[in-house]
């Protein structure tokens, strides 16, 4: 509890990590606020069913609060969003010039606030993916402020967890995105970095994942623990193995 986990992908799609954490926390009985900017609810629901989780039921029970970013963006841009008095759209920065994410943070805080209905095990904020906020016009400082306040609220005050996915590239010319990614790496308790194989496509090995435990974040004299595994994504699960020990090699 109280941890900030950064999911980072380079030359590959790290969405399988998002699906894992979503199903993991729902099965664990946690209250989850899912800011889904990349895909629709039906997409996440279909994948979750394969993992044995019913997202629709979780929404009805109040365990899952789902923000469908694609739908909200279209409604705001085409003027179809009906805002409630005192309750602006979480993505209202799209229609403003300031580009701040205060409304999105207020949505997260209200979604995970302790309620009198049913006590869940712990609050969790899941974002897929943070890089899209920059593409939608949010400033890098606003994105970093948003994550800072989410960590202060969810991790520190509520003793919950924050899990965020970002995209990165070594040769990217998107300086704003790389600035956000590098800043988040310095503040993360755990980094799961999925990378594509440098040798290219392989049907038996889809990529490698680097697990970085940020021990230096709390103890200055300690070095970060780094573990590297290769993985293969299957229909209902992901197989991990040490580098060079795939089924194709053995």
């Amino acid at each position: 509890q109280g941890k900030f986990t950064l999911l980072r992908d380079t030359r590959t799609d790290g969405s399988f990590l998002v699906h894992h954490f979503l199903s993991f926390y729902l099965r664990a009985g946690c209250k989850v606020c899912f800011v889904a900017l990349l895909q629709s609810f039906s997409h996440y629901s279909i994948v979750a069913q394969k993992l044995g989780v019913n997202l629709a039921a979780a929404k009805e029970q109040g365990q899952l609060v789902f923000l469908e970013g694609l739908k909200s963006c279209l409604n705001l841009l085409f003027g179809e969003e009906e805002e409630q008095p005192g309750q602006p759209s979480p993505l209202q920065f799209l229609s403003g010039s300031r580009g701040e994410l205060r409304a999105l943070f207020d949505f997260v805080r209200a979604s995970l606030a302790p309620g009198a209905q049913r006590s869940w095990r712990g609050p969790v904020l899941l974002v897929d993916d943070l890089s899209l906020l920059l593409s939608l016009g949010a400033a890098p400082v606003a994105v970093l402020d948003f994550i800072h306040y989410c960590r202060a609220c969810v991790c520190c005050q509520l003793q919950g967890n924050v899990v965020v996915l970002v995209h990165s590239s070594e040769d990217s010319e998107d300086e704003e995105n790389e600035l956000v990614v590098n800043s988040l790496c310095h503040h993360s308790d755990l980094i799961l970095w999925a990378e594509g194989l440098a040798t290219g496509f392989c049907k038996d090995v889809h990529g490698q994942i680097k697990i970085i435990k940020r021990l230096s974040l709390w103890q200055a004299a300690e070095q970060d623990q780094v573990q590297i595994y290769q993985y293969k994504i299957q229909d209902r699960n992901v197989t991990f193995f040490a580098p060079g020990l795939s089924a194709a090699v053995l």
Side-chain angles (χ1 to χ4, degrees):
Q1 290 182 334
K3 301 297 183 182
F4 174 52
T5 301
L6 180 66
L7 312 179
R8 181 178 180 181
D9 62 16
T10 304
R11 302 189 312 274
T12 190
D13 185 6
S15 298
F16 69 96
L17 295 170
V18 175
H19 297 301
H20 160 74
F21 279 100
L22 177 61
S23 60
F24 171 79
Y25 283 120
L26 289 177
R27 281 198 297 263
C30 297
K31 178 69 176 288
V32 178
C33 175
F34 188 13
V35 179
L37 304 172
L38 189 62
Q39 301 286 354
S40 64
F41 177 79
S42 59
H43 170 83
Y44 294 105
S45 180
I46 291 172
V47 178
Q49 283 183 346
K50 293 183 178 181
L51 301 177
V53 176
N54 189 328
L55 294 191
K59 280 185 64 177
E60 292 177 2
Q61 296 171 3
Q63 183 184 9
L64 173 65
V65 179
F66 189 91
L67 173 60
E68 191 166 356
L70 291 174
K71 184 177 180 180
S72 297
C73 287
L74 289 175
N75 290 341
L76 272 172
L77 293 175
F78 291 100
E80 299 177 2
E81 188 83 50
E82 295 183 2
E83 295 186 1
Q84 300 295 328
Q87 296 180 353
S89 168
L91 301 180
Q92 70 169 0
F93 72 93
L94 288 171
S95 57
S97 59
R98 299 174 62 185
E100 63 178 20
L101 301 174
R102 176 64 182 268
L104 184 58
F105 169 70
D106 290 339
F107 170 81
V108 171
R109 181 173 56 181
S111 301
L112 297 178
Q117 301 175 352
R118 178 174 175 178
S119 58
W120 304 103
R121 289 188 59 182
V124 175
L125 170 63
L126 184 60
V127 182
D128 181 23
D129 71 82
L130 195 70
S131 302
L132 280 177
L133 289 176
L134 295 172
S135 301
L136 292 173
V141 173
V143 173
L144 292 175
D145 284 346
F146 166 68
I147 293 298
H148 170 75
Y149 281 106
C150 286
R151 289 177 58 219
C153 176
V154 180
C155 296
C156 299
Q157 295 181 5
L158 303 177
Q159 285 299 296
N161 296 287
V162 176
V163 181
V164 173
L165 172 69
V166 292
H167 298 298
S168 67
S169 176
E170 296 92 342
D171 56 353
S172 174
E173 296 181 359
D174 190 347
E175 297 180 358
E176 292 186 346
N177 184 73
E178 295 307 304
L179 171 65
V180 170
V181 172
N182 292 331
S183 299
L184 294 179
C185 286
H186 286 297
H187 295 92
S188 303
D189 297 285
L190 175 67
I191 303 173
L192 302 181
W193 190 352
E195 299 177 281
L197 295 177
T199 54
F201 174 77
C202 176
K203 66 176 183 179
D204 293 298
V205 182
H206 292 158
Q208 76 171 17
I209 185 168
K210 186 182 298 183
I211 304 173
I212 306 174
K213 297 181 180 179
R214 297 292 316 287
L215 301 182
S216 60
L217 192 64
W218 305 106
Q219 300 176 0
E222 293 290 334
Q223 289 187 343
D224 296 339
Q225 283 186 1
V226 180
Q227 297 173 295
I228 298 178
Y229 298 94
Q230 292 180 337
Y231 64 86
K232 179 180 180 180
I233 301 176
Q234 298 170 326
D235 190 37
R236 297 178 183 272
N237 59 8
V238 182
T239 303
F240 295 92
F241 40 84
L245 297 181
S246 67
V249 175
L250 297 179

